[in-house]
Amino acid sequence: MTTRFIGAALLGLALATPALADGTVNIYTTREPALIQPLLDSFTADTGIAAKVVFVKEGLAQRVETEGANSPADLLSVVDYGNLIELVDRGLTQPVDSAALNEAIPANLRDPAGNWFALSMRARVIYAAKDRVTDETLTYEDLADPRFKGEVCIRSGQHPYNTSLIAAMIAKDGVDATRTWLEGVKANLARKAGGGDRDVARDILANLCDVGIGNSYYVGLMRSGAGGEEQKAWGEAIRVILPTFKDKAGTHVNISGAAVAKNAPNRDNAVKLLEYLASEKAQEIYAKANFEYPVRPGVAADPIIAALGPLTVDPLPLTDIAKHRVEASELVDAVGFDG
């Protein structure tokens, strides 16, 4: 029996008597088992609290909503701050006031009301052909410059990674300026927007394009050889530039994060786990498990990611960016970005 099904079976028992559970914390997560299990094993070893996990690939919010007051879920762990805000909007979380969390996690990477907290970051960076692009620095706005006409590769504008980036630009410069930028990037595309971030590196190696946008942790996955020799060649064909917007404030990031469930039967243990996940020890594990940036200042990233250069995170609060994600999605359609 796999860990996943053992967890599900144990949670079934917890479902019958959720309020009686003690020395336990139940986690619902969309994260890959290999990423989160080392963190939970470490937490249990250090605290003696059993961490029981159910991996929910799709429909985590709907599941918790359906379970209602009888839900055994204590901690909800997802990727993308949009999913965390959805949990809040559906009334599935509860606020946490923790000095440890507030000290460990920068204010722009957590909910001001304490309903969710970032636990790791992935930066939206520029992949550039090592042998054909000489720029040492670039802004996101530069991707719309006519000098890159026919040289830009990118995944769908409707992918959450990109709608988040576009929403951040709307928050900074407004809809009209962002529309102009998006039209410029579309005019520069080397191929139809689509595929994944690693496909951008693949297409740069194939000389189909010179620049593109991808997430930082894919660079680690490719260059480490975790995805095989072919992907390692893709990763080594690109130079990574940590871009900023034209205001030079910092690089756009998205996050993985967690929230305490509204009906958590083991609330105190959920808070302990959250605080543990923000600790130096857990943040180091995050960095090694998936090449993600730690959110806690002072914790080193994996050497492959650290070699990309020092990351300055754009200080714009994620909650401000989230307000413009619907506009960003509508703008992608309005300019026919994916067409």
Side-chain angles (χ1 to χ4, degrees), residues 6-335:
I6 292 171
L10 290 171
L11 281 176
L13 293 174
L15 184 63
T17 55
L20 300 179
D22 194 13
T24 297
V25 61
N26 300 320
I27 304 100
Y28 282 12
T29 184
T30 60
R31 305 225 67 186
E32 294 292 328
L35 301 182
I36 196 168
Q37 197 60 55
L39 291 155
L40 301 180
D41 291 344
S42 179
F43 172 72
T44 298
D46 286 3
T47 65
I49 298 172
K52 302 174 182 176
V53 60
V54 168
F55 300 101
V56 185
K57 188 172 183 180
E58 302 286 346
L60 185 148
Q62 292 87 340
R63 176 169 177 165
V64 177
E65 199 168 52
T66 300
E67 291 173 346
N70 289 324
S71 176
D74 296 308
L75 195 70
L76 310 175
S77 166
V78 297
V79 171
D80 181 28
Y81 64 87
N83 290 321
L84 290 163
I85 291 172
E86 180 189 5
L87 293 171
V88 178
D89 290 344
R90 285 172 176 256
L92 301 177
T93 65
Q94 60 175 296
V96 172
D97 184 10
S98 163
L101 290 169
N102 293 341
E103 180 181 350
I105 303 171
N108 60 317
L109 301 177
R110 51 183 162 84
D111 177 35
N115 279 288
W116 57 265
F117 298 86
L119 296 171
S120 64
M121 299 183 292
R122 58 274 305 275
R124 204 77 182 129
V125 301
I126 289 178
Y127 298 170
K130 276 184 175 177
D131 55 347
R132 302 188 297 276
V133 177
T134 58
D135 303 76
E136 294 295 327
T137 62
L138 286 170
T139 65
Y140 295 111
E141 286 85 350
D142 285 333
L143 294 174
D145 191 302
R147 71 189 172 105
F148 287 125
K149 189 170 183 58
E151 300 295 348
V152 176
C153 286
I154 191 171
R155 71 192 310 164
S156 166
Q158 290 293 4
H159 192 279
Y161 295 156
N162 284 336
T163 53
S164 179
L165 175 66
I166 297 165
M169 187 170 286
I170 293 174
K172 288 173 177 283
D173 298 330
V175 172
D176 291 343
T178 305
R179 176 194 292 271
T180 300
W181 173 74
L182 206 53
E183 290 172 340
V185 176
K186 177 177 170 58
N188 284 349
L189 292 181
R191 57 162 169 76
K192 183 177 178 180
D197 286 358
R198 278 176 280 201
D199 294 336
V200 173
R202 177 200 63 193
D203 292 344
I204 287 174
L205 176 61
N207 205 12
L208 180 63
C209 42
D210 280 353
V211 294
I213 297 181
N215 271 354
S216 52
Y217 77 102
Y218 286 122
V219 179
L221 292 172
M222 289 187 290
R223 290 183 178 174
S224 68
E229 288 302 313
E230 186 179 39
Q231 290 191 16
K232 190 171 183 180
W234 302 348
E236 292 175 348
I238 60 172
R239 186 160 53 82
V240 176
I241 297 173
L242 300 178
T244 65
F245 295 95
K246 65 182 181 182
D247 62 7
K248 308 292 186 184
T251 301
H252 177 67
V253 301
N254 206 324
I255 62 168
S256 73
V260 174
K262 177 183 178 181
N263 298 304
N266 305 291
R267 183 188 186 280
D268 290 348
N269 288 345
V271 174
K272 288 178 183 175
L273 177 55
L274 253 181
E275 292 175 341
Y276 186 83
L277 294 175
S279 69
E280 289 187 11
K281 182 176 182 179
Q283 289 287 295
E284 289 172 357
I285 296 174
Y286 265 117
K288 294 175 182 175
N290 196 36
F291 304 102
E292 294 178 300
Y293 286 100
V295 295
R296 186 183 185 106
V299 177
D302 179 272
I304 293 177
I305 300 302
L308 304 182
L311 173 69
T312 300
V313 177
D314 189 294
L316 188 65
L318 296 179
T319 47
D320 289 356
I321 299 172
K323 296 173 185 174
H324 300 284
R325 291 186 74 160
V326 172
E327 287 177 293
S329 175
E330 292 172 347
L331 206 52
V332 168
D333 286 342
V335 304

